[in-house]
Amino acid sequence: MDNCKTIAICNQKGGVGKTTTTVNLGIGLARTGKKVLLVDCDPQGDLTASLGWQDTDGLSVTLADKLAAVISDRPLDESGILQHTEGIDLIPSNIELSAMEMSLVSVMCREQILKNYLRTIKDNYDYIIIDCNPSLGMLTLNALAAADSVIVPVQAQYLPAKGMSQLLYTIARVRKNINSGLQIGGILLTLVDKRTKLAKATLDTLKASFGEHIRIFNSSIPMAVKAAETSCEGMSIYAYAPDSAVAQAYTAFTQEVLNLG
């Protein structure tokens, strides 16, 4: 598929809904007929576990193995790519990826290793979505180097813009030095409690600080217990609570992403 789009879901702050967004955007795109690959780029393996593979340490092939093969110039195959019942593929991760991140520091072209791996399989997909770990370390740099665009989930809390500046600086540096085509797809407001005024205040802050230069998605993701429960069930919000406000919000967000072209 010549027009495969690679999207990094990125924010160095934890607890903002990166993994939930990766799952529901990926499966949302698959529900529209797109061929989608999710990449767990976090040694904690939250994406892998949330899709039903709870015993991440028991997986025989993970992203760490794929990156090691690229570094060692060994042949690559499609082993280890898992198929989820809701129509997406997954490259899983576990704690071994943490050791791989440390190894990357001394590797030639260290920021390009993930990109070089994904290049071998991207023709099979319309979308590749990378769930980044909550840091701006070597794994995240690899994800940004491999991506066409970045989507930044931001929790609806006071002054979220404070942590955004460092992330945007990193993205700008990656664009200048590593990946000139990298774009910011937009900012997605997550964990919105509509009973309070905080969400509106957060949105106003984001628009005032970044709205002139960065898209802020019209969709926002409400806070809901059902959204948190999906990770324990190994399924998306569409399968677990299809009529919920969260499912409707992610459906609308998926359509916005499709409209980005």
Side-chain angles (χ1 to χ4, degrees):
M1 298 179 184
D2 296 335
N3 297 316
C4 177
K5 298 176 179 64
T6 302
I7 302 171
I9 308 296
C10 185
N11 191 329
Q12 77 272 27
K13 189 179 187 308
V16 298
K18 289 189 297 293
T19 298
T20 301
T21 295
T22 301
V23 168
N24 292 302
L25 173 59
I27 292 176
L29 289 167
R31 284 161 54 88
T32 71
K34 302 298 183 183
K35 181 67 174 172
V36 181
L37 172 70
L38 304 187
V39 181
D40 191 344
C41 202
D42 186 346
Q44 294 185 62
D46 287 345
L47 176 62
T48 302
S50 70
L51 285 168
W53 286 275
Q54 299 287 340
D55 181 19
T56 57
D57 291 339
L59 295 167
S60 58
V61 181
T62 66
L63 180 60
D65 299 295
K66 300 299 187 181
L67 300 183
V70 173
I71 292 169
S72 303
D73 201 24
R74 299 197 306 269
L76 288 159
D77 56 36
E78 295 186 13
S79 66
I81 298 179
L82 306 175
Q83 286 77 44
H84 190 268
T85 55
E86 290 184 70
I88 53 92
D89 289 353
L90 169 70
I91 299 174
S93 287
N94 58 22
I95 197 63
E96 292 177 6
L97 191 60
S98 183
M100 172 54 62
E101 181 170 31
M102 290 187 287
S103 299
L104 285 172
V105 174
S106 59
V107 171
M108 186 180 295
C109 300
R110 58 191 181 182
E111 299 93 351
Q112 304 284 348
I113 303 302
L114 177 59
K115 181 177 183 178
N116 290 339
Y117 166 56
L118 294 179
R119 186 182 290 134
T120 68
I121 57 173
K122 67 185 302 181
D123 287 347
N124 298 326
Y125 299 98
D126 296 302
Y127 285 91
I128 297 174
I129 304 176
I130 306 170
D131 185 23
C132 297
N133 63 336
S135 78
L136 294 178
M138 191 54 61
L139 288 172
T140 298
L141 288 178
N142 264 261
L144 295 177
D148 301 306
S149 64
V150 187
I151 290 175
V152 184
V154 175
Q155 185 178 359
Q157 62 180 18
Y158 184 61
L159 291 180
K162 182 177 180 181
M164 286 286 294
S165 297
Q166 185 180 5
L167 175 59
L168 296 178
Y169 174 76
T170 299
I171 292 171
R173 296 286 292 177
V174 169
R175 184 186 293 127
K176 180 179 180 180
N177 297 300
I178 303 171
N179 181 3
S180 61
L182 182 64
Q183 302 294 322
I184 300 177
I187 297 170
L188 174 68
L189 203 61
T190 62
L191 300 171
V192 175
D193 186 347
K194 295 186 177 180
R195 299 170 300 178
T196 71
K197 296 180 180 179
L198 194 55
K200 185 179 185 306
T202 301
L203 183 59
D204 290 344
T205 300
L206 288 169
K207 286 182 175 179
S209 301
F210 308 109
E212 283 190 26
H213 308 290
I214 300 175
R215 177 185 291 102
I216 298 173
F217 289 105
N218 292 324
S219 309
S220 61
I221 311 303
M223 182 181 293
V225 173
K226 288 188 181 299
E229 291 173 347
T230 57
S231 60
C232 299
E233 300 297 330
M235 62 181 69
S236 73
I237 192 67
Y238 312 109
Y240 185 69
D243 298 323
S244 66
V246 177
Q248 294 171 16
Y250 271 117
T251 298
F253 170 60
T254 298
Q255 189 59 54
E256 285 194 75
V257 172
L258 281 168
N259 292 341
L260 295 178

